[in-house]
Amino acid sequence: MNVNKILLAAGLSTLSLNTLAAAFQLSEHSASGLGRAFAGDAAIAENASVVARNPALMSQFSESQLSVVGTYIVPDVSLTGESAPAYSNAAALNDDSIAPEAFVPATYYVMPLDDKFALGFGLFSNFGLATDFAEDYAAGQLAGMTEIITVNFNTSVSYKINEQLTVAGGLNVVYADATITRHLGDLSNALATQGLAIPSSTTGLDLEGDDYGFGYNLGVAYDFDENSRFGFHYRSKVDITFDGTYSNELPLIPGVFDNGQSGAVQPGTVDLELPAIAEFSASHQLGDKWGVHYSVLWTNWSSFERLEAYVPSQDEPVFEKEENFSNSFRYAIGADYQLNEKVKLRAGIAYDETPTDSQLLSISIPDTNRLWISAGANYLLDDSSSIDLGVSIIRGQDRTFTEEDDAGGEWEFNSEGHAFIVSAQYNYAF
């Protein structure tokens, strides 16, 4: 059994574990949007965060706008072992906290140039994850420490064609950084029967890399009348090649650890495509108090078919794993209510589909359909500034699945994934 290849394959497949939108997608762009479960975000022009969801809305501002956002995510993601190979036991697979808490910042600035053109800048993230298992976790060859961080530097320009129609386009520069570490786990017990005494905490994979990628985005906003607006936004795919280092602590034992290195470091690369995203939204104002909003967001996950990893010493990939993701949709509907001159209340609900193949579920991708329940408020501090607060409770479906490693061991898990999100935002008009 080529244990080293098992460890590498399991490690790289975790680029999609337990984030708060489908697969490793992030929706947390603003506190104002979070309060409505992001319903109508491509059609509502409340603050400068429109740069992330539809820059065509920049035409709605007569003054320069600055928005600064901080979002805190508290995941509640756990695994329960149902069965394990003979050299382990199901109880050893239990873990009630595999996703650490995270802080997601964002900053936006919109500047009207004249009555036709507006310029906007954004610093935010569309994709990211972090999971962390103990070094001696029983299924260490399937899960360990995984972190991927992406930062989108977005510049957009909008052009107001007439009083009803605005179009926009922008350039995205995406920086991505990834760290993946895997350990031997209880596979050390099986090796001990062959006379190989190797600790379960032995690093079987350490892969670190980063890269820049480029993409574009397009937006359209159409005012049907003074009370109704429709918006559409498209963000292109971004190709990332993680160039970095690959190493492990495994001894070179032909037929067992064919890629054993015992600490040697060599270059390693992994190609990853961040998928295209499209959103249609509508916003309707019902009198002076009420507004109703809805959105459909599509993500082109079908382009994510497999993962491959290469090292210079081999022509063939040292890892090739089928993912077979499907395109997914996120549906949201929300409302807001102008309580008084200073306070606006918000609420929303959303359903977020998973793109994962039910036949290819993994401990590294126990993704599931999710229900969002959100609430929030805006408070006007003065004529130039306001603050937004938003909270969401996310409930995921439980899933039970079996994963087989290349050594023939079968591991059965039950996964539960929920989360609590809170966000605050400061807006200032110049």
Side-chain angles (χ1 to χ4, degrees), residues 164-229:
Q164 290 181 295
L165 181 63
T166 301
V167 296
L171 172 67
N172 302 290
V173 180
V174 179
Y175 172 75
D177 182 276
T179 301
I180 303 169
T181 304
R182 294 293 173 268
H183 301 91
L184 195 59
D186 280 4
L187 198 56
S188 62
N189 297 334
L191 296 173
T193 64
Q194 304 178 31
L196 301 174
I198 304 176
S200 61
S201 60
T202 300
T203 299
L205 162 71
D206 187 83
L207 182 66
E208 300 180 22
D210 61 359
D211 187 30
Y212 283 93
F214 300 90
Y216 64 90
N217 61 296
L218 304 172
V220 178
Y222 180 76
D223 287 357
F224 184 78
D225 56 36
E226 62 181 9
N227 294 315
S228 295
R229 180 183 299 127

Side-chain angles (χ1 to χ4, degrees), residues 213-358:
F214 300 90
Y216 64 90
N217 61 296
L218 304 172
V220 178
Y222 180 76
D223 287 357
F224 184 78
D225 56 36
E226 62 181 9
N227 294 315
S228 295
R229 180 183 299 127
F230 300 95
F232 176 80
H233 185 224
Y234 175 82
R235 192 172 295 279
S236 74
K237 70 174 184 177
V238 176
D239 292 320
I240 298 291
T241 297
F242 290 100
D243 290 317
T245 59
Y246 164 71
S247 64
N248 63 57
E249 296 177 346
L250 301 172
L252 179 59
I253 304 175
V256 179
F257 300 127
D258 291 334
N259 295 322
Q261 294 180 302
S262 296
V265 178
Q266 62 177 310
T269 62
V270 178
D271 290 333
L272 178 66
E273 181 180 296
L274 302 178
I277 303 168
E279 180 175 10
F280 170 79
S281 297
S283 175
H284 306 285
Q285 192 65 35
L286 309 179
D288 296 333
K289 297 288 188 179
W290 286 95
V292 177
H293 324 284
Y294 48 91
S295 290
V296 178
L297 186 146
W298 168 87
T299 305
N300 186 208
W301 283 117
S302 62
S303 62
F304 190 54
E305 297 180 352
R306 63 183 66 248
L307 281 168
E308 296 179 334
Y310 291 86
V311 295
S313 58
Q314 296 188 35
D315 293 331
E316 297 297 321
V318 293
F319 158 65
E320 184 176 7
K321 184 178 186 300
E322 184 180 5
E323 298 292 354
N324 195 32
F325 275 19
S326 300
N327 296 336
S328 66
F329 287 88
R330 184 182 190 275
Y331 308 93
I333 185 168
D336 50 48
Y337 177 74
Q338 192 70 47
L339 183 64
N340 53 48
E341 290 184 356
K342 287 186 173 293
V343 178
K344 177 186 286 188
L345 303 178
R346 304 183 178 104
I349 188 170
Y351 181 74
D352 199 5
E353 293 181 340
T354 177
T356 54
D357 188 327
S358 61

Side-chain angles (χ1 to χ4, degrees), residues 385-424:
S385 60
S386 67
I387 57 173
D388 290 288
L389 297 175
V391 296
S392 282
I393 297 173
I394 302 175
R395 304 294 295 178
Q397 297 175 342
D398 295 355
R399 306 191 81 168
T400 299
F401 55 92
T402 299
E403 185 173 3
E404 181 177 342
D405 60 36
D406 289 349
E410 290 190 351
W411 310 76
E412 185 177 12
F413 303 88
N414 177 266
S415 67
E416 297 182 14
H418 312 301
F420 175 77
I421 307 176
V422 60
S423 183

Side-chain angles (χ1 to χ4, degrees), residues 48-94:
S49 66
V50 297
V51 173
R53 302 305 282 252
N54 187 1
L57 297 169
M58 296 189 301
S59 66
Q60 300 297 318
F61 300 113
S62 58
E63 299 177 295
S64 295
Q65 299 274 334
L66 172 69
S67 294
V68 180
V69 187
T71 301
Y72 195 67
I73 303 171
V74 184
D76 180 14
V77 184
S78 62
L79 292 172
T80 302
E82 301 291 335
S83 65
Y87 51 80
S88 185
N89 65 84
L93 301 177
N94 297 348

